[in-house]
Amino acid sequence: MAIDSTLKEQPPTPDFPMARSCPYHPPAQYEELREKGPMAQVRLYDGRLAWLVTGHSAARALLADPRVSSDRQKPGFPMVAARLEVARQQRTALIGVDPPEHTAQRRMLIPSFTVRRVNELRPGIQRAADALIDEILAQGPPADLFADFALALPSQVACRLFGIPYDGHSFFDAQFRQMLHADSSVQEVGAARSALVGYLDELVTVKQDRPEENTAPGMLDELIEQQLQTGGLDRGELVSLTMLLLLSGYETTVSMIATGILTLLEHPDQADLLRRDPSLAPGLVDELMRFLSIADGIARVATEDIEVEGRRIAAGDGLFIATAAANRDATLYPDPARFDITRSARQHIGFGFGIHQCIGQNLARAELEITFGTLFARIPSLRLAVPVEEIPMKGAGTVQGVTSCPVTW
Amino acid sequence: MSGPAPAAADDAAFRVSVAADRCVGAGQCVLTAPAVFDQDADGISRVLKPDVASAEADAVREAEFLCPGQAIAVTQPAPDRSRLAGSS
């Protein structure tokens, strides 16, 4: 027997998504919504109602529940803007499929992202970070650490991980920048994406058919051998999956680097703790993931009736997991609005939870640990060059964070 | 009573196991309790030592909580049958 959804218009119903007014704090309304309970009703751009899940334990329960789907083609899947509706037309690999397809696709990728693999990449990441800082120091202050560091490091690391040859790095870097640049038009973003797809397709040909030209083996070679050649994936699927991984991991890491630097500069006592004790870097990264929660508003749809913590969700109800609210749940984190790199923040859901939890999280952790550890050690007098209020940040409904990080030293 | 008593670590707080079909390869167990968990060649979690000593109990409980696939199970250790042998 179906439970009646309790999603009924009950004024005041806030609109979702909400914009941040500070790059490192969630929207102000999250706190008052969470105080009323683990879930709240919100109104979407088209007038539909959906659930916003703000409690940590409810968020974990729903993200791990098999009755909660990531498939944008399922009835009732919620969208935050008209421009995203196109996602209903075609199933997106990995992030937009449920078991059993998800299970098979994820298993193809897991070996490339293990703790051991990521640890093998660390020396290369450290060298890349140091080279970028050498250049920044050589140019002299001021610098924009968004353009000069945040956009650059994840691009270089991705090229190394996937096995994109060095002479392709600057091409990749240019396309990524164009895709992410605040001033890029929709056409420019589309053109950059097409250029990347074309490049990857040609690279697959080189790796398969012209091994003498294959100068940089990596994850793409393994996928060609284990999946393309065995029929596990066709060529189009391989290129799509590669693009998905590259794009999902890029904007997020860029934003964590830039916004993390800003947050540390705005909390100099915490930056000092890190400088004095570099072993705090992993804990710092988890606290930044918790505090910033840039991947806020994880979309899902219920495929059956679900009861969670006394609330009823009906089949077809849309859900948004407010990670930024859940990660400031005071039942788990005392004084949650306090940025404290010595607290134990491991239980945050900044990388998500459940079967779709970020597959690249260990790589992200390594890049972020190395970034903050190295920057703050090598440029001890680093400080913001402009008031924080003047720094532009992303609007609602996308990966959060700043789009500039002007510094001096 | 015949047969050897099953081995249990002298100070085992509990036993831990991983359901491989639920594992999504996140590796958080390895980061949290590296003496107890590792990732095999396919990146799937495997238990290095199923009997968890009390010194590692907190880390293993944390790994259980953090596992995104909810694949980690902790259970009571196997009973010390040598003590039961005398009863009939």
Side-chain angles (χ1 to χ4, degrees):
Chain A
M1 187 176 82
I3 304 172
D4 286 330
S5 172
T6 53
L7 265 178
K8 289 179 176 62
E9 181 76 50
Q10 281 163 29
T13 300
D15 291 334
F16 182 82
M18 303 142 190
R20 296 188 178 194
S21 50
C22 172
Y24 48 80
H25 286 307
Q29 291 128 301
Y30 275 10
E31 182 142 343
E32 63 183 79
L33 288 175
R34 195 189 46 246
E35 270 161 20
K36 295 186 191 144
M39 286 164 41
Q41 290 183 153
V42 290
R43 188 187 302 106
L44 305 181
Y45 79 98
D46 57 359
R48 272 193 67 203
L49 299 179
W51 295 108
L52 185 69
V53 182
T54 55
H56 191 277
S57 54
R60 278 175 46 107
L62 287 166
L63 285 168
D65 195 314
R67 298 167 292 180
V68 170
S69 170
S70 295
D71 186 346
R72 280 80 172 140
Q73 294 192 316
K74 287 272 188 331
F77 195 94
M79 299 288 180
V80 293
R83 65 183 156 82
L84 298 173
E85 293 286 343
V86 66
R88 292 191 208 278
Q89 289 168 13
Q90 198 178 12
R91 303 251 296 301
T92 309
L94 198 66
I95 62 170
V97 289
D98 299 329
E101 289 103 321
H102 172 267
T103 319
Q105 289 172 12
R106 179 123 179 166
R107 293 211 159 203
M108 295 177 192
L109 304 168
I110 290 170
S112 304
F113 290 100
T114 60
V115 172
R116 185 174 286 113
R117 274 295 180 89
V118 166
N119 285 340
E120 286 165 8
L121 291 170
R122 280 179 183 257
I125 299 171
Q126 181 67 64
R127 278 193 298 273
D130 275 315
L132 288 167
I133 294 171
D134 288 343
E135 182 61 30
I136 286 164
L137 289 173
Q139 302 269 21
D144 180 355
L145 293 183
F146 183 81
D148 299 343
F149 194 97
L151 284 178
L153 185 71
S155 171
Q156 292 180 23
V157 173
C159 284
R160 202 159 296 141
L161 171 71
F162 282 85
I164 288 149
Y166 188 73
D167 62 2
H169 284 200
S170 57
F171 171 83
F172 248 81
D173 190 79
Q175 305 316 313
F176 271 165
R177 282 169 190 270
Q178 188 164 312
M179 289 188 75
L180 269 212
H181 202 281
D183 298 336
S184 291
S185 67
V186 172
Q187 287 80 4
E188 282 166 333
V189 170
R193 178 186 278 250
S194 296
L196 278 174
V197 170
Y199 179 90
L200 282 173
D201 194 71
E202 172 61 20
L203 186 58
V204 170
T205 301
V206 167
K207 285 182 184 288
Q208 259 196 307
D209 303 338
R210 307 205 297 266
E212 69 282 1
E213 289 176 39
N214 188 18
T215 54
M219 182 174 160
L220 198 49
D221 295 83
E222 286 165 18
L223 287 175
I224 289 168
E225 187 190 307
Q226 290 157 14
Q227 303 302 333
L228 191 60
Q229 284 166 359
T230 60
L233 288 173
D234 68 36
R235 196 190 182 88
E237 286 168 336
L238 173 61
V239 173
S240 296
L241 206 48
T242 304
M243 277 297 290
L244 173 75
L245 289 173
L246 282 168
L247 292 175
S248 317
Y250 186 60
E251 184 174 9
T252 43
T253 314
V254 168
S255 196
M256 277 305 293
I257 290 175
T259 317
I261 292 170
L262 180 104
T263 305
L264 280 164
L265 292 178
E266 284 277 283
H267 297 81
D269 57 318
Q270 299 298 305
D272 279 340
L273 284 175
L274 174 69
R275 269 190 284 262
R276 282 202 295 272
D277 183 3
S279 76
L280 291 174
L284 155 70
V285 169
D286 275 310
E287 173 64 347
L288 275 173
M289 287 299 302
R290 179 194 78 83
F291 195 66
L292 300 179
S293 294
I294 60 170
D296 188 25
I298 300 174
R300 295 285 188 269
V301 65
T303 58
E304 292 175 39
D305 298 338
I306 304 172
E307 195 153 323
V308 63
E309 297 183 9
R311 302 301 179 98
R312 298 145 134 200
I313 296 169
D317 282 357
L319 308 173
F320 289 97
I321 309 298
T323 40
N327 282 337
R328 295 208 181 189
D329 191 328
T331 59
L332 192 60
Y333 298 113
D335 201 0
R338 195 167 107 85
F339 178 59
D340 173 5
I341 73 173
T342 65
R343 74 158 88 228
S344 174
R346 283 298 304 288
Q347 298 182 353
H348 68 78
I349 56 168
F351 285 117
F353 192 67
I355 63 175
H356 292 277
Q357 192 182 61
C358 177
I359 197 169
Q361 63 173 300
N362 295 323
L363 181 60
R365 286 173 197 280
E367 288 189 56
L368 295 174
E369 286 167 23
I370 289 168
T371 289
F372 302 125
T374 311
L375 258 175
F376 283 84
R378 289 193 59 185
I379 317 182
S381 61
L382 194 67
R383 61 188 187 277
L384 281 181
V386 305
V388 66
E389 300 77 26
E390 290 177 21
I391 297 179
M393 54 185 197
K394 304 272 191 58
T398 181
V399 171
Q400 296 296 283
V402 295
T403 53
S404 173
C405 188
V407 298
T408 187
W409 55 94
Chain B
M1 163 140 181
S2 58
D10 282 344
D11 131 76
F14 44 76
R15 303 204 82 166
V16 65
S17 62
V18 170
D21 60 323
R22 297 179 66 97
C23 175
V24 292
Q28 299 312 292
C29 51
V30 177
L31 286 189
T32 307
V36 179
F37 302 98
D38 191 15
Q39 283 172 292
D40 68 17
D42 293 328
I44 301 301
S45 175
R46 65 188 186 96
V47 174
L48 296 170
K49 357 184 268 199
D51 293 306
V52 179
S54 42
E56 284 156 340
D58 284 350
V60 171
R61 287 274 183 214
E62 175 89 330
E64 182 192 14
F65 184 81
L66 293 176
C67 175
Q70 302 187 314
I72 297 175
V74 294
T75 53
Q76 293 307 304
D80 180 357
R81 295 220 174 93
S82 62
R83 287 193 283 111
L84 297 174
S87 60
S88 50

